[in-house]
Amino acid sequence: MSSEKPQVIKAKVGFFKLFFTSCLGTLLALGVIVGGFIFVGYQASQGGLPVIKPNTVLKLQFNQPIPELSNNSAQDPYDFQDMLNENLGLTDICKLIDIAVNDDNIKGIYLDLNSVPLGWASSKVLHDKLLEFKESGKFVMAYSNYYDQKSYYFASVASPVYIHPQGGFSFYGFAGEMTYFKGLMDKLGVTFQIFYAGKFKSATEPFRLTEMSPENRKQVTEYMGGMYDMYLEDLAAARNIDAAELARIANNALVREPQDAVTHKLVDATKYKDEVLDELRSKLGTAEDDKIEVATLKKYVSVHKNELKSNNGSDKIAVVYAEGSIVDGEGEKGSIGGDKYASIIRKLRKDEDVKAIVMRVNSGGGSALASDIIWRELEKAKEQGIKVMTSMGDVAASGGYYIASNSERIFAEDRTITGSIGVFGMIPNMRGLLENHLGVTMDTVKIGRYSMMSRGSAYYKFSEEEGQIIQESVDQVYKTFKTRVSEGRGMSMAAVDSVAQGRVWLGKKALEIGLVDELGGLDDAINAIAKSANLTEDNYSVVGYPKTKSFEERLAAVLGGEDDEDEIKTQLLQELKSSLTSSQYNEYIEYIKAVETVKSMKGVQMRLPYHIDIK
């Protein structure tokens, strides 16, 4: 039997674990760098970039979340392959489709979509872009083994639409689920000390209730119903079927087999893949055994990357893509760090070539402090005479609306989720868990009546007086939020209060109540701000921020010795490290992320009341 103490053994195990983990990380990093050399060598041996041959089909297939700005999303730490991929953003995808319209080598688009990881506002943008492509006279064909309601939304644009004879077709109406943690917390002995302003501000509900509050159910039902109505209207126009008939089909579950979808004219026929390929050859005019020339988006962007950049003049319209949670400090890729984005805007307002800033917001909010830091820099830009407008994506709510509130004009998609003007604070008390389940007790010594409030202990239960102080702080932030909206929108405080209370609105309704100025997309906002800044199309460039790079570009930067080599190396190693997490936890990722989000919260929050996935 070993005579070593358990603490010594534990220390040694920890040392070797750290040692081997570091070795593994180093080996992976070296492997990636060697792979980079191989990749560069292969590219050279192939004579450089690929080319698009005549009579080519552009194949659209989306297997990963689509950010607003290319490569501006956090890599999935549970998927090593994810960080190796070029993650094209919605803006660039739409530009590529525009390029394809005028590309004589591209004869049509082939949609191969089982599911599309996009919000509904972004889905509408891409849906309409596919419709423009089809109206140009080129074909759009769709085929899938399985259509859910999102993928069918895109496929409905196509003519023809096919499905596998033994495939699946989900068409039953919209539904969403929310996850509540209170029961789990009660069993663990964890309570949350919760403070909020706004009766519709429901971000804390999963930790204080076991089901939706009446207010939350009301707003969810309202905006989900509005989205569903618009969804049916778009399908009706695409398939030439009355919207009421589509609702009847869904409400009676009339599509249960692929042939049912044909019977009710939702798809044109059931076909096997080989039959679809034969029809594709027929459209292209190629022989039966000829290879079909296909260009994926990854290949197409490698050919047309330079065309995605706007270089019409020295004057700049800066588009700042604010997507993800608003967090304190610099934040990570895929989030909106208050300090990072303030720095970006500060540099833009000091750039004499920047005449206008468009904030493209796709965020459910986050830190109240970080939101105000960004708001302040936008105010300073306006004071210097720089035009500022906002274009809203899928979500521009709570803190996301806060940073939009002082814009000259706000554009929203009709399906944008916005508003949620309210705030909250949430502090866990884990005393029950520590004492009753783990046998851990703690005691406190206070020098000062309220000194524990500065410590932020997860063991301490606030007194009634301390709770009142925190609530007053939350109320003050809420008042500031409403003041920002009142001054930015030119509304009375009473008018703001009537549409605030943490309530969520669809873009279409937000226009009616004065929270936005116009329904439209990013291009509409750019055109409007160019006109406001007296810029003509041939004398300004549109430049996106923050500057992002694909994994390959970052690897090339390291190999090429660029100025930010150390920063890029650090980011690459962090991504490699995060990718080591086992994929066996995939089914629990959403729950893990929810808990991690709560753990990361500091100070008063301005967040969307919930995360709800509409299927």
Side-chain angles (χ1 to χ4, degrees):
M1 180 179 292
S2 172
S3 61
E4 291 184 281
K5 293 181 179 180
Q7 292 91 336
V8 176
I9 295 172
K10 183 177 180 182
K12 287 185 175 181
V13 171
F15 168 77
F16 284 112
K17 181 179 179 182
L18 178 62
F19 175 76
F20 286 117
T21 300
S22 299
C23 289
L24 180 57
T26 302
L27 288 171
L28 282 171
L30 288 172
V32 171
I33 292 174
V34 171
F37 281 116
I38 295 172
F39 170 77
V40 173
Y42 174 77
Q43 288 275 50
S45 69
Q46 297 298 309
L49 295 174
V51 295
I52 303 301
K53 297 180 180 179
N55 221 24
T56 293
V57 174
L58 181 61
K59 181 180 179 180
L60 300 188
Q61 188 176 34
F62 305 110
N63 298 319
Q64 58 183 347
I66 301 172
E68 293 278 349
L69 178 66
S70 293
N71 301 310
N72 191 33
S73 61
Q75 272 70 34
D76 187 346
Y78 305 94
D79 185 353
F80 178 77
Q81 185 63 35
D82 180 45
M83 74 176 189
L84 300 177
N85 293 328
E86 170 90 0
N87 197 1
L88 279 176
L90 180 66
T91 299
D92 283 344
I93 291 171
C94 289
K95 287 180 181 177
L96 288 171
I97 294 174
D98 284 336
I99 291 170
V101 168
N102 299 307
D103 187 343
D104 292 337
N105 291 328
I106 298 294
K107 300 303 179 184
I109 286 178
Y110 174 67
L111 298 175
D112 183 6
L113 309 173
N114 287 322
S115 63
V116 183
L118 263 180
W120 283 105
S122 297
S123 294
K124 171 65 173 174
V125 172
L126 189 51
H127 169 279
D128 290 353
K129 188 59 62 176
L130 290 170
L131 193 59
E132 288 177 18
F133 181 91
K134 180 182 174 183
E135 290 172 349
S136 74
K138 296 186 176 184
F139 71 83
V140 179
M141 178 187 289
Y143 178 74
S144 183
N145 294 329
Y146 171 80
Y147 288 113
D148 64 13
Q149 293 180 127
K150 182 74 68 64
S151 58
Y152 179 65
Y153 181 63
F154 294 102
S156 66
V157 174
S159 181
V161 180
Y162 295 133
I163 187 172
H164 190 284
Q166 302 303 317
F169 195 99
S170 177
F171 191 73
Y172 302 110
F174 283 3
E177 286 185 336
M178 288 182 62
T179 302
Y180 290 81
F181 300 97
K182 186 178 185 302
L184 172 62
M185 297 297 107
D186 288 346
K187 289 181 179 180
L188 293 175
V190 177
T191 58
F192 281 86
Q193 301 168 93
I194 295 169
F195 311 89
Y196 63 96
K199 63 183 179 180
F200 287 91
K201 195 64 181 178
S202 309
T204 60
E205 283 193 1
F207 298 93
R208 60 183 170 89
L209 300 176
T210 57
E211 60 183 14
M212 287 185 184
S213 66
E215 292 85 1
N216 197 12
R217 186 174 296 278
K218 177 181 179 180
Q219 65 181 351
V220 171
T221 301
E222 183 174 308
Y223 87 68
M224 192 183 294
M227 280 191 177
Y228 186 53
D229 289 343
M230 289 184 282
Y231 173 78
L232 293 179
E233 289 170 4
D234 287 344
L235 293 187
R239 297 297 298 175
N240 196 26
I241 304 173
D242 188 74
E245 172 62 13
L246 289 169
R248 187 187 74 84
I249 293 169
N251 288 339
N252 292 280
L254 298 182
V255 178
R256 306 181 189 185
E257 302 291 338
Q259 188 56 46
D260 296 334
V262 178
T263 300
H264 292 285
K265 300 181 180 179
L266 297 178
V267 303
D268 295 295
T270 60
K271 286 183 181 288
Y272 287 98
K273 185 67 171 284
D274 59 285
E275 295 176 303
V276 173
L277 294 179
D278 286 341
E279 181 166 339
L280 201 52
R281 288 189 181 91
S282 177
K283 284 183 175 291
L284 296 172
T286 59
E288 182 178 347
D289 296 327
D290 284 354
K291 176 186 175 183
I292 298 174
E293 293 295 337
V294 174
T296 62
L297 276 175
K298 184 175 182 179
K299 179 179 180 180
Y300 203 58
V301 73
S302 68
V303 175
H304 294 284
K305 195 141 196 160
N306 289 334
E307 295 172 58
L308 298 179
K309 301 174 183 177
S310 170
N311 296 303
N312 295 334
S314 59
D315 289 342
K316 297 178 186 175
I317 294 177
V319 179
V320 180
Y321 291 85
E323 50 187 324
S325 292
I326 301 175
V327 299
D328 294 315
E330 292 296 312
E332 298 178 353
K333 195 166 67 167
S335 68
I336 308 165
D339 291 344
K340 176 182 176 179
Y341 274 74
S343 176
I344 290 171
I345 297 166
R346 191 177 303 117
K347 289 177 181 177
L348 291 177
R349 65 182 178 83
K350 291 181 178 180
D351 185 342
E352 294 182 355
D353 293 333
V354 174
K355 307 302 180 184
I357 297 173
V358 175
M359 295 294 294
R360 174 64 175 181
V361 180
N362 193 355
S363 172
S367 164
L369 175 60
S371 300
D372 197 65
I373 288 171
I374 296 169
W375 173 91
R376 172 63 177 174
E377 283 300 324
L378 290 171
E379 277 292 291
K380 296 292 287 184
K382 288 166 56 183
E383 289 173 8
Q384 292 179 206
I386 297 174
K387 299 292 183 178
V388 177
M389 294 187 184
T390 291
S391 167
M392 295 178 168
D394 293 312
V395 182
S398 208
Y401 188 81
Y402 192 103
I403 63 176
S405 62
N406 59 346
S407 292
E408 178 183 325
R409 292 184 68 75
I410 298 176
F411 291 75
E413 308 284 357
D414 54 7
R415 292 157 175 79
T416 295
I417 296 173
T418 190
S420 190
I421 301 168
V423 298
F424 72 91
M426 189 163 62
I427 305 164
N429 180 357
M430 303 179 69
R431 184 168 189 155
L433 170 64
L434 294 172
E435 288 188 358
N436 301 329
H437 296 278
L438 301 178
V440 177
T441 59
M442 299 177 72
D443 207 346
T444 58
V445 175
K446 296 196 297 182
I447 308 299
R449 186 176 179 183
Y450 300 111
S451 57
M452 283 301 293
M453 294 181 65
S454 64
R455 180 170 175 77
S457 171
Y459 188 84
Y460 183 74
K461 181 179 180 180
F462 291 112
S463 68
E464 185 175 339
E465 286 181 311
E466 290 167 328
Q468 182 61 36
I469 291 172
I470 297 172
Q471 184 62 54
E472 288 174 1
S473 175
V474 168
D475 291 340
Q476 181 58 46
V477 175
Y478 182 43
K479 181 180 178 181
T480 299
F481 195 168
K482 291 191 291 183
T483 301
R484 298 281 191 251
V485 176
S486 173
E487 293 173 351
R489 301 299 303 158
M491 300 169 66
S492 69
M493 286 292 283
V496 173
D497 193 61
S498 69
V499 297
Q501 302 295 328
R503 186 162 184 178
V504 170
W505 306 94
L506 274 181
K508 193 173 182 180
K509 184 68 176 180
L511 176 65
E512 296 176 15
I513 61 178
L515 291 181
V516 305
D517 296 293
E518 193 169 334
L519 295 182
L522 179 57
D523 287 343
D524 297 305
I526 291 172
N527 291 335
I529 206 167
K531 184 176 180 181
S532 180
N534 296 316
L535 302 174
T536 56
E537 190 172 352
D538 58 353
N539 73 351
Y540 70 85
S541 299
V542 179
V543 186
Y545 298 88
K547 295 298 184 181
T548 60
K549 293 181 179 180
S550 67
F551 183 87
E552 291 171 358
E553 288 170 331
R554 281 177 282 147
L555 184 60
V558 173
L559 296 174
E562 290 191 5
D563 292 340
D564 55 354
E565 178 182 345
D566 289 339
E567 180 183 342
I568 294 171
K569 278 182 179 177
T570 300
Q571 189 176 26
L572 287 171
L573 287 171
Q574 286 175 342
E575 291 172 5
L576 286 166
K577 180 180 177 182
S578 67
S579 69
L580 296 175
T581 307
S582 173
S583 61
Q584 65 180 306
Y585 299 112
N586 277 348
E587 61 183 300
Y588 306 111
I589 288 175
E590 289 305 317
Y591 304 104
I592 294 169
K593 286 181 178 178
V595 175
E596 287 178 343
T597 297
V598 173
K599 285 173 62 181
S600 68
M601 291 180 186
K602 294 181 180 179
V604 178
Q605 299 288 304
M606 300 174 178
R607 289 183 182 270
L608 190 66
Y610 37 71
H611 169 76
I612 186 166
D613 188 17
I614 302 174
K615 299 288 188 180

